[in-house]
Amino acid sequence: MSSGQEVGEIFGDGKGPTTALLRSPTVIIAAVGLWGMNVYLFRLFGIDYAHVLTLDLFKEKEANGRKGDDDDDSDRDEGSSSGDGNNNPGGGGGLLLEKRHGHTSAQSLTSPPGSASKSNVSKTHHHHHHSHGPNNTNTIDPDSEVTAPKLILFSLSLLLLLHLSTVLWIDLIGGSTIGAIFAFYTAVVIGIAIPLPSTSWIRTAVVTIFHRAFELIHPRCFCLQSSGIIPRAIPFIDVFFADAMCSLSKVFFDWGMLWHLAWHYPESVPMTLHSIAIPSIAASLPYLIRARQCIVMHSIGRMKSDPKRYQHMLNAVKYSTSLWPLIVSAYQKVVTTEEEKMQLEKVLIVLFAINSTYSLAWDIIMDWGMMQNPGAMVPESCAGGSGGSVGGLNKTPQSCAHSVLRPRLRFGASTSMGILLIDTVLRYSWLLRFWEKDLFLSADTYILCTQFLEAIRRALWNLLRVEWENIKQTRGKEAEQDIEMVENDPFLPVSAMAMSPRAPAGKFKQES
């Protein structure tokens, strides 16, 4: 977020290799390849990220199923014979969840509300100890698997297609950048839509992305009025997805600008305030969505009297600090006097510093679960240096790092520390603006570079974020049971959950 809020040169005829029209798909392509790196590392270190992302969804489905069963039993006790789900919030919710994720069957359409969910839950418990047996039919189609090699090869293919589209349309045909970019997007859509077995995993991933995108805007509560009903909690997969969108905020801005370029084509976009409004609103959407998720969770915490609910409001404030640099940077593009531009530049630097520092602290403490007790960790763990001892116990550099960060480090102390340091540097990548004219050919080149750096930072952030969520999920006596239940009866369709080869259940017990 720290370096993704600036805007490049958006006015003019849109020519050049690093204009917003071309840099946006380039950054998306890079993000796809970096996600392939994430998938590879998750598998290498035995972290089943598909389970981590979808566990909350499964628990929500199971809870709705139990609620539907209770409501159904209550209706039967009262002598109800209609079986109509319209007056049954629990059963209706369970049926809706079944429909959303492709599990609707003839039974769920003809049976009383809750019965389909009850059947699924019963199957889960019946096969609890047989999910890894030879007769387990819940297998993954290899063609639908989203693996690291496929993602990396796909990103390279998209990069080649983008280059060919640009060369053919602009250099050979003599067309505009708008035509080249529309030719690229059209070719991508057609390529994905062709029903080839080798691209079925892409269609599965696209459907999953659109479904989760819908869930981001689907209202879970109104938050401002107290109805007495506790809204549904935001599942981790939606939080993770919205955070990823925040790193692509500049892409949303560029898509808004594309609308302006197409509207004014073949004329240049006028340098007016209204021309910057729609792209700026588009760029702010990921932060607004994420902040709203925090408000929803705060509302749930208030209804449950959660003493830590204030953390969600602090998180919402963090996302609000990402909006101000975007607004000021966009407004700076329509200012004509150099004096006013310099004043806005000073304001922008202050806003960047606040956002970067706030976000970095939240990354380390809240998102990664590290350094949560800084007052006690140094004297107990690192006193005496790498070869010293405290209380008769030798303190090696690794044990010191574990104590400073957290006891469990699935990626190891060195890797975790390296990610932390790189994230710290990339959070302040906006400092390159002070050497912009010396290092970059144009402002757009600088913006493209910071977008790439933000995509790399997000990919590294993903590793420790999923790791920490996995550690939290596997705490307690029911952790292993939850893993086996999700593997046997996933909330999403098998094809939608097959984002990587699933790690053996035993690997979830490993610690560094």
Side-chain angles (χ1 to χ4, degrees), residues 308-376:
K308 294 185 178 181
R309 62 182 180 274
Y310 70 91
Q311 294 178 354
H312 298 295
M313 292 308 297
L314 293 178
N315 203 10
V317 171
K318 183 196 72 174
Y319 289 102
S320 71
T321 65
S322 301
L323 293 174
W324 296 109
L326 190 153
I327 295 172
V328 173
S329 176
Y331 177 68
Q332 193 181 33
K333 298 301 177 183
V334 300
V335 172
T336 56
T337 64
E338 289 297 326
E339 182 180 358
E340 192 171 1
K341 284 185 177 181
M342 292 303 297
Q343 292 177 348
L344 291 174
E345 181 74 9
K346 295 177 181 178
V347 174
L348 194 58
I349 292 173
V350 173
L351 293 175
F352 274 139
I354 294 174
N355 173 249
S356 298
T357 306
Y358 198 155
S359 300
L360 176 62
W362 197 273
D363 283 347
I364 298 172
I365 300 173
M366 303 303 298
D367 290 339
W368 298 341
M370 297 177 175
M371 300 183 181
Q372 295 192 346
N373 190 10

Side-chain angles (χ1 to χ4, degrees), residues 57 60-69 71 85 88-105 108 112-118 120-121 232 491:
L57 296 177
E60 183 179 277
K61 174 199 172 185
E62 188 182 41
N64 283 332
R66 286 197 301 265
K67 184 177 180 181
D69 294 341
D71 291 342
N88 188 339
L95 184 62
L96 180 60
L97 288 172
E98 292 288 319
K99 289 180 179 179
R100 284 182 188 171
H101 295 277
H103 285 273
T104 303
S105 61
S108 63
S115 60
S117 297
K118 181 178 181 180
N120 288 333
V121 173
R232 295 183 296 132
F491 180 72

Side-chain angles (χ1 to χ4, degrees), residues 151-292:
L151 286 166
I152 295 174
L153 182 61
F154 181 54
S155 64
L156 293 176
S157 301
L158 289 177
L159 189 61
L160 178 61
L161 178 61
L162 178 63
H163 177 71
L164 292 177
S165 301
T166 304
V167 172
L168 291 176
W169 196 273
I170 297 179
D171 296 340
L172 297 182
I173 300 178
S176 64
T177 308
I178 294 180
I181 206 65
F182 274 114
F184 168 74
Y185 283 130
T186 301
V188 171
V189 172
I190 293 175
I192 295 176
I194 296 176
L196 298 175
S198 59
T199 58
S200 62
W201 68 273
I202 303 177
R203 290 187 291 275
T204 297
V206 170
V207 170
T208 302
I209 289 173
F210 275 105
H211 175 71
R212 299 326 308 173
F214 171 77
E215 288 295 326
L216 293 182
I217 60 176
H218 184 67
R220 289 174 174 259
C221 75
F222 292 99
C223 302
L224 299 180
Q225 42 183 315
S226 178
S227 60
I229 301 176
I230 298 179
R232 295 183 296 132
I234 307 295
F236 175 66
I237 188 173
D238 290 345
V239 172
F240 188 81
F241 189 64
D243 277 329
M245 287 175 55
C246 289
S247 289
L248 298 177
S249 171
K250 189 61 193 61
V251 173
F252 285 85
F253 183 97
D254 294 341
W255 286 343
M257 194 200 68
L258 175 62
W259 183 87
H260 272 299
L261 286 172
W263 180 265
H264 291 280
Y265 185 80
E267 302 296 329
S268 301
V269 178
M271 191 177 295
T272 56
L273 188 60
H274 79 273
S275 298
I276 206 74
I278 291 180
S280 299
I281 293 173
S284 66
L285 285 178
Y287 303 112
L288 295 175
I289 289 173
R290 189 67 187 91
R292 182 184 176 276

